[in-house]
């Protein structure tokens, strides 16, 4: 009984301390942390969990302003990390009372960035006060402390006397300005330059690509592909393909299927060095490089070796839309055993792509150009594409790289090989 009485008394003391604000309660949830006033009207909007490998981010922009109405789970701000952009949602429906963080701040999961008023009363009263203060005209009256002080300010100025004219100056010998030597660089003025901080995504991409150059023994081999048969296949069946599958038939699905066939024939290109070991992957996850206004992202088409043309096109279309909209997640980009980069959509004729770590090779596609080719002893115009394979020469020899690229060429030029598995 004594113990029960002691616990009860301690509990009342603890409860009183919590209500008085002396000590915090025991259970605090950081994923959706709420602060409530005495009336329970105010709640906090906090930064959510951003991923296992992400400890902080930059508060990039506010999507709302104080005084705006918001619904439950409506995004009010965006946090930019070195991999993805994450929305900060409102925990309750109401009106944004104020922001407690500013754009450009470094924030962690659980950081409070805004206060939401569920009723909106505090926001309305504060806005009314500020409006009244701004509507009052500024006072133009000048207070005078005493007549003496006023008189002291009115001191008569002494009469001005005309000074004698200065003696005429002797003419100085004009010296020509020093001529600029050819060794001095002519730099543009600073006012014609703009300094903009790098985004976290851009810094992350720069770091990874430089690490790729410093780690891998990069070597690139090239070949060219006659696109005639693949383009004819697409032209003949694009309408029926779209009618049945609801997605357009593009060239990427053909190259993905060709890459899958090449990786299965040369499994070392799908492998990676890990210390003193080589890890051979018995799956094919194809990363597709996508350029967005915020930077380069590389979402992954998982288990591409088990997918048909329609499934590949649907997945690529879905990932590309999410990447451009900025809603792509960490799960969409995690992993990947081989990368395809299509610079041809921007008009690139030839390039040497850089490996996407921790992979060992990357395939570069380029623009399709009609060029004169010798076919059956005759010179004819053919739609040709240069393709490039950059690989880690520490693991992959030139023989495997050339065989892989040759397999890409054979499958794209004659897609029937995929049906016959030859």
């Amino acid at each position: 009984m004594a113990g029960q009485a002691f616990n009860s008394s301690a509990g009342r003391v603890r409860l009183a301390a919590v209500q008085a604000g002396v000590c915090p309660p025991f259970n605090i949830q950081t994923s959706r942390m709420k602060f409530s006033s005495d009336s329970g009207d105010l709640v906090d909007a906090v930064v959510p969990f951003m991923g296992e490998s992400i400890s902080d981010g930059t508060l990039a922009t506010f999507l709302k302003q104080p005084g705006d109405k918001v619904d439950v789970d409506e995004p009010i701000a965006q946090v930019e990390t070195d991999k993805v952009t994450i929305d900060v949602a409102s925990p309750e429906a109401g009106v944004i009372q104020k922001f407690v963080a500013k754009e450009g701040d470094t924030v962690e999961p659980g950081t409070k960035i805004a206060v939401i008023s569920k009723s909106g009363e505090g926001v309305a009263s504060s806005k009314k006060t500020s409006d009244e203060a701004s509507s009052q005209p500024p006072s133009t009256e000048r207070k005078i402390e005493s007549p003496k002080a006023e008189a002291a300010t009115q001191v008569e100025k002494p009469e001005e006397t005309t000074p004698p004219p200065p003696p005429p100056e002797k003419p100085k010998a004009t010296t020509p300005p020093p001529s600029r030597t050819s060794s001095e660089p002519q730099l543009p003025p600073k006012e014609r330059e703009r300094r903009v901080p790098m985004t976290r995504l851009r810094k992350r991409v720069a770091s990874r690509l430089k690490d790729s150059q410093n780690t891998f023994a990069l070597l690139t081999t090239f070949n060219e592909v006659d696109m005639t048969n693949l383009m004819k296949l697409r032209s003949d069946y694009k309408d029926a393909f779209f009618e049945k599958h609801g997605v357009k038939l593009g060239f990427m699905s053909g190259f993905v299927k060709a890459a899958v066939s090449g990786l299965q024939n040369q499994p070392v290109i799908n492998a990676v060095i890990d210390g003193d070991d080589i890890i051979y992957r018995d799956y094919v996850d194809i990363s597709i490089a996508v350029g967005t206004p915020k930077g380069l992202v590389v979402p992954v088409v998982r288990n591409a070796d088990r997918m048909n043309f329609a499934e590949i096109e649907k997945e690529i279309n879905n990932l590309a839309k999410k990447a451009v909209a900025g809603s792509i997640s960490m799960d969409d980009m995690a992993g990947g055993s081989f990368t395809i980069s299509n610079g041809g959509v921007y008009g690139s004729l030839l390039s040497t792509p850089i490996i996407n770590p921790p992979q060992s090779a990357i395939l570069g596609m380029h623009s399709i150009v009609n060029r004169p080719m010798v076919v059956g002893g005759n010179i004819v115009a053919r739609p040709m594409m240069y393709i490039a394979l950059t690989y880690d020469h520490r693991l992959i020899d030139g023989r495997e790289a050339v065989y892989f690229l040759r397999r890409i060429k054979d499958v794209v030029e004659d897609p029937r090989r995929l049906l016959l598995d030859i």
Side-chain angles (χ1 to χ4, degrees):
M1 295 295 292
Q4 294 178 356
F6 176 78
N7 291 336
S8 177
S9 175
R12 289 194 297 272
V13 172
R14 174 70 181 179
L15 179 59
V18 169
Q19 293 176 347
V22 177
C23 60
F26 287 110
N27 297 326
I28 300 178
Q29 298 180 355
T30 58
S31 61
R32 177 166 292 202
M33 199 159 42
K34 297 182 181 180
F35 168 79
S36 299
S37 63
D38 295 338
S39 62
D41 180 59
L42 303 181
V43 293
D44 294 339
V46 301
V47 177
F49 176 71
M50 297 183 288
E52 293 292 343
S53 60
I54 303 177
S55 59
D56 58 20
T58 301
L59 184 57
T61 182
F62 284 106
L63 305 177
K64 300 288 184 178
Q65 295 297 327
D68 291 348
K69 293 183 179 180
V70 291
D71 297 327
V72 179
D73 295 331
E74 182 179 0
I76 63 173
Q78 289 183 333
V79 175
E80 187 178 79
T81 71
D82 55 3
K83 296 181 179 178
V84 294
T85 300
I86 298 172
D87 292 334
V88 180
S90 173
E92 299 286 349
V95 179
I96 299 177
Q97 186 187 63
K98 63 178 180 178
F99 292 140
V100 295
K102 60 181 182 295
E103 294 181 356
D105 287 354
T106 299
V107 294
E108 300 176 352
T111 302
K112 181 173 69 173
I113 67 166
V115 178
I116 311 296
S117 173
K118 292 187 287 186
S119 64
E121 295 178 355
V123 179
S125 61
S126 62
K127 289 183 66 177
K128 182 179 179 181
T129 303
S130 61
D131 293 342
E132 291 177 354
S134 61
S135 63
Q136 293 180 357
S139 177
T140 58
E141 296 181 359
R142 182 166 57 91
K143 295 182 180 179
I144 301 177
E145 296 181 357
S146 64
K148 293 182 179 181
E150 175 67 15
T153 60
Q154 300 177 355
V155 180
E156 294 183 0
K157 297 181 180 180
E159 294 183 0
E160 297 181 356
T161 59
T162 304
E169 295 183 357
K170 296 180 179 181
K172 296 182 180 180
T174 60
T175 58
S179 60
R180 184 182 296 272
T181 62
S182 59
S183 60
E184 296 180 1
Q186 297 183 3
L187 301 178
K190 293 296 182 181
E191 58 269 14
R192 296 177 61 186
E193 299 177 348
R194 293 183 295 115
R195 184 180 294 270
V196 180
M198 291 178 67
T199 63
R200 282 179 171 258
L201 179 58
R202 175 55 57 190
K203 288 190 290 186
R204 179 62 174 171
V205 170
S207 175
R208 285 177 61 84
L209 294 181
K210 188 57 182 175
D211 290 344
S212 177
Q213 284 187 325
N214 296 338
T215 302
F216 300 132
L218 299 175
L219 189 61
T220 305
T221 184
F222 303 93
N223 212 320
E224 58 183 356
V225 178
D226 188 343
M227 298 289 292
T228 300
N229 290 331
L230 186 60
M231 293 176 67
K232 186 177 186 305
L233 177 70
R234 178 174 179 267
S235 176
D236 292 343
Y237 296 103
K238 62 179 182 180
D239 294 335
F241 189 89
F242 180 79
E243 183 179 352
K244 180 175 181 179
H245 301 291
V247 64
K248 294 181 179 180
L249 176 61
F251 296 135
M252 282 301 299
S253 56
F255 276 89
V256 169
K257 295 294 288 185
V260 169
S261 178
L263 294 172
Q264 290 173 340
N265 288 350
Q266 303 295 329
V268 68
I269 297 180
N270 203 39
V272 66
I273 293 177
D274 185 19
D276 295 332
D277 301 326
I278 300 176
I279 299 176
Y280 288 90
R281 303 180 176 106
D282 295 329
Y283 58 90
V284 179
D285 288 350
I286 303 293
S287 303
I288 306 295
V290 179
T292 69
K294 294 184 178 181
L296 181 69
V297 295
V298 192
V300 180
V301 178
R302 305 192 185 281
N303 298 314
D305 52 327
R306 303 178 184 177
M307 303 171 71
N308 57 30
F309 280 79
E311 292 170 337
I312 292 174
E313 290 290 354
K314 289 179 180 179
E315 184 66 11
I316 291 176
N317 188 49
N318 179 46
L319 293 173
K321 286 182 178 179
K322 293 171 67 175
V324 174
S327 60
I328 198 162
S329 66
M330 286 293 301
D331 294 337
D332 295 327
M333 296 189 294
S337 59
F338 183 78
T339 296
I340 298 178
S341 176
N342 186 9
V345 296
Y346 307 112
S348 173
L349 180 64
L350 190 63
S351 68
T352 56
I354 299 179
I355 295 175
N356 177 28
Q359 301 172 12
S360 297
I362 179 173
L363 175 68
M365 300 169 53
H366 300 93
S367 58
I368 302 172
V369 179
N370 283 325
R371 294 201 300 272
M373 305 296 296
V374 178
V375 180
N378 298 319
I379 299 177
V380 295
R382 290 285 191 173
M384 303 299 294
M385 174 193 289
Y386 288 123
I387 55 176
L389 178 72
T390 299
Y391 58 97
D392 185 3
H393 207 359
R394 300 177 306 164
L395 174 64
I396 304 169
D397 295 330
R399 173 179 175 272
E400 286 80 10
V402 172
Y403 280 170
F404 173 84
L405 212 55
R406 181 73 192 197
R407 181 62 181 175
I408 298 290
K409 174 181 174 66
D410 291 342
V411 171
V412 173
E413 289 185 346
D414 189 0
R416 295 174 298 179
R417 290 178 176 270
L418 294 175
L419 299 176
L420 301 176
D421 193 20
I422 57 174

